[in-house]
Amino acid sequence: MDRIRIAGGVPLQGAIPISGAKNAALTLMPACLLTDETLVLSNLPHLADITTMAHLLSQLGVAMTLNGHAPGGGHVGRVLELKAARIADTTAPYDLVRKMRASVLVLGPLVARCGEARVSLPGGCAIGPRPVDLHLKALEELGAEVLVENGYIVAHAPNGGLRGAAITFPQVTVGGTENALMAAVLAKGESTIINAAREPEVADLAHCLVAMGAKIEGIGTGTLRIQGVDRLHGADYAVLPDRIEAGTYAVAAAITRGDVELVGARIDLMNSVIKALGECGVVVTETARGIRVAANGGPVTGTDIMTEPYPGFPTDMQAQLMTLMATAEGASMITETIFENRFMHVPELARMGARVTVHGASAIVRGVPKLSGAPVMATDLRASVSLVLAGLAAEGETTVNRVYHLDRGYERLEEKLAACGARIERLKGEG
């Protein structure tokens, strides 16, 4: 098993290119199941989760062509052509779905187009229960018959297909909104999704569906109105930049007291993270190419954050900001309201000298002058990268074990950091 070794203490200087958003790409790829024409996705990141989704779609009968160039000769990430001319299978098996929760997003498109689906209950990071019951209730509102048997979600649409309905989510659910939206675009009549997730990745899916011929109003708001259509067509669509990757590298610049430009990052997608960094004394400015994050050796002060659905502070940035707060002046409180069990990185940070006390859903972080390098163990995707950030700032050498989590969400992590001066390397087959 690979591990990453870091010799810390080097302020990052330079530019880091921001890849396409993993969470958007994983939502856009299943949209190809809604049409028999070709969906071309550009700016696609090269990540383990993307490969897992590609394997699942291939098993369902989707033909794919992958290359590194956008139409017209430009280089815009990787380009994936997906064509589901015929759905060969409507079962998403356990051996693929267990690797990644986003696999459940084939459920809505399969039921909408084929009238049936059999999808294993999903797996993914062990960061607390994330039930799919809201996905299933949304499909039932649209007229599907849904049951869970032997670890599989089994859904059937009536003979006339799905029908439009008013869907009200009792709590914000990103995946539930995405599944409901993809099902509703082919349902007969009008659907309304109330208390819809407002995350940029949900809006990205909606914009892609509109490019494919869907009729959707209220994109980016908490209420989506969908007029069902008989069929969708193909489209060319670019995945939006990854706001979590950009936020992670912004913290990397801050925690090393460096100065980094995040090329391709969009400031409008990162308001809550930028606000938190500003409260810490980090200077964030928009550039012609993206965003510049500068700490330049200056002090970073503690601040309090609470994770919330978008546009609040993202849960996927909580571990990274906690690591920054571990090196800040004063005390900070971090409250996690989205997922249980998302403080698994705390014991590992403590091994490096961080002073963090967890009380239920909140953690008190008391900054220390310096972290110390140590061998640490990654537990999930965002916890993994928080340990890399700690290693960048620490005195001495840090080894992060079980880094396969990182490969699910960060493209060329070591290469991007090394280009800005980080002393970081991957050790193959160890740990």
Side-chain angles (χ1 to χ4, degrees), residues 71-336:
H75 184 85
V76 186
R78 288 150 60 92
V79 179
L80 182 63
E81 298 180 10
L82 306 104
K83 187 169 185 178
R86 184 180 69 86
I87 305 295
D89 194 349
T90 56
T91 295
Y94 169 75
D95 63 335
L96 285 175
V97 178
R98 69 179 176 85
K99 298 177 182 178
M100 182 183 64
R101 290 195 60 82
S103 303
V104 78
L105 293 175
V106 303
L107 179 63
L110 286 174
V111 176
R113 182 172 167 194
C114 303
E116 62 179 21
R118 184 171 177 268
V119 179
S120 173
L121 290 169
C125 285
I127 56 174
R130 293 186 278 178
V132 296
D133 60 316
L134 297 179
H135 302 233
L136 310 190
K137 289 175 182 175
L139 285 177
E140 287 175 337
E141 291 287 347
L142 293 168
E145 298 172 357
V146 184
L147 56 91
V148 177
E149 59 181 17
N150 302 320
Y152 278 79
I153 302 162
V154 181
H156 294 275
N159 289 335
L162 298 176
R163 60 178 184 271
I167 299 166
T168 301
F169 286 117
Q171 63 197 67
V172 175
T173 164
V174 173
T177 300
E178 292 165 343
N179 248 330
L181 180 59
M182 285 190 279
V185 293
L186 291 182
K188 291 179 172 57
E190 180 176 292
S191 296
T192 306
I193 302 175
I194 300 167
N195 201 25
R198 297 163 59 189
E199 271 71 5
E201 295 78 16
V202 176
D204 211 36
L205 171 63
H207 287 303
C208 179
L209 292 172
V210 168
M212 296 169 68
K215 297 179 179 178
I216 305 169
E217 297 178 355
I219 296 174
T221 75
T223 302
L224 296 172
R225 292 174 296 279
I226 305 104
Q227 295 289 341
V229 296
D230 292 335
R231 66 184 305 272
L232 297 182
H233 51 71
D236 289 3
Y237 195 79
V239 181
L240 89 172
D242 196 320
R243 62 192 172 100
I244 304 301
E245 184 196 29
T248 300
Y249 289 127
V251 171
I255 201 169
T256 63
R257 310 304 191 257
D259 188 339
V260 174
E261 184 181 20
L262 307 174
V263 178
R266 278 176 45 186
I267 204 164
D268 61 304
L269 304 180
M270 300 172 59
N271 288 331
S272 63
V273 173
I274 290 169
K275 178 175 181 287
L277 289 173
E279 290 170 352
C280 298
V282 179
V283 178
V284 182
T285 53
E286 194 166 11
T287 70
R289 299 194 301 172
I291 300 170
R292 179 185 176 192
V293 182
N296 290 323
V300 172
T301 55
T303 189
D304 299 340
I305 63 152
M306 176 182 292
T307 63
E308 296 175 304
Y310 189 86
F313 191 90
T315 182
D316 279 351
M317 281 298 302
Q318 177 258 107
Q320 297 92 308
L321 197 85
M322 180 185 287
T323 305
L324 177 61
M325 294 302 91
T327 71
E329 296 179 355
S332 310
M333 177 178 282
I334 296 177
T335 303
E336 174 61 63

